[in-house]
Amino acid sequence: MDCKIRDHFLVIGQFLGIALCCYPGNIGYRAEYSYLLISLVGVIGGVITLFYNKIGNFKVYPQLKPNATLITSGPYTFVRHPMYLFLIVTMLGVTLFNLQTRTLIGLVLLVITVSGKAAIEEVDLAEKFSEYRKYMHRTKRIIPWVW
């Protein structure tokens, strides 16, 4: 498959997953507002991550920007892709809040697509930054101490 087509599918899949997670269902039926605290943790984590990896240093597609810099501090000390981690955490809270089959499908789709994007990004990062392979060995990809 052509890389551009693959990347378009990953980005479309990511946004479709987010949309499915957020699509309102029977909110009055089962909604536990405490689940939104999980989403709040994800949003706060994402904002903190943006203090370390500025908006101009990355893009929605899995290719690196030509002037990209390697960030290994802050949340990047614990995982290589904290923005994906916090996106998943945010959508987990929303999925639990709206608990429907489609929201679960959306969360699974989101995890699959950001995992694919992370794998592609890591190939480019390892080629561009000689220290990236060492960084890969001391940190997990998306979930601290797990994966």
Side-chain angles (χ1 to χ4, degrees):
M1 178 186 301
D2 183 305
C3 289
K4 286 186 178 192
I5 294 172
R6 175 203 62 201
D7 296 347
H8 287 307
F9 273 117
L10 288 170
V11 170
I12 290 167
Q14 178 180 344
F15 285 103
L16 179 60
I18 291 168
L20 288 171
C21 289
C22 293
Y23 189 82
N26 299 325
I27 290 179
Y29 173 70
R30 192 199 160 281
E32 278 290 332
Y33 290 93
S34 60
Y35 290 131
L36 295 181
L37 292 175
I38 297 169
S39 294
L40 182 61
V41 168
V43 169
I44 290 169
V47 169
I48 291 170
T49 300
L50 286 174
F51 282 112
Y52 289 88
N53 192 1
K54 305 294 185 217
I55 289 179
N57 195 46
F58 63 92
K59 57 186 182 174
V60 71
Y61 284 91
Q63 296 81 35
L64 297 180
K65 285 191 161 196
N67 59 344
T69 58
L70 180 62
I71 311 297
T72 59
S73 59
Y76 291 88
T77 304
F78 305 102
V79 292
R80 298 188 301 269
H81 301 278
M83 286 303 291
Y84 292 152
L85 166 65
F86 293 122
L87 175 60
I88 291 168
V89 169
T90 300
M91 290 300 108
L92 173 63
V94 172
T95 296
L96 293 172
F97 179 76
N98 283 332
L99 197 56
Q100 302 278 317
T101 302
R102 73 176 154 262
T103 61
L104 292 171
I105 291 169
L107 186 63
V108 169
L109 179 61
L110 177 65
V111 170
I112 289 169
T113 56
V114 298
S115 297
K117 287 174 64 177
I120 293 165
E121 290 167 10
E122 290 188 341
V123 171
D124 292 344
L125 286 163
E127 287 177 9
K128 183 169 182 162
F129 302 104
S130 60
E131 66 271 26
Y132 193 75
R133 292 209 188 276
K134 288 181 186 172
Y135 173 63
M136 288 174 73
H137 288 294
R138 63 177 195 265
T139 57
K140 296 296 183 183
R141 180 177 281 172
I142 295 177
I143 301 174
W145 306 287
V146 178
W147 166 61

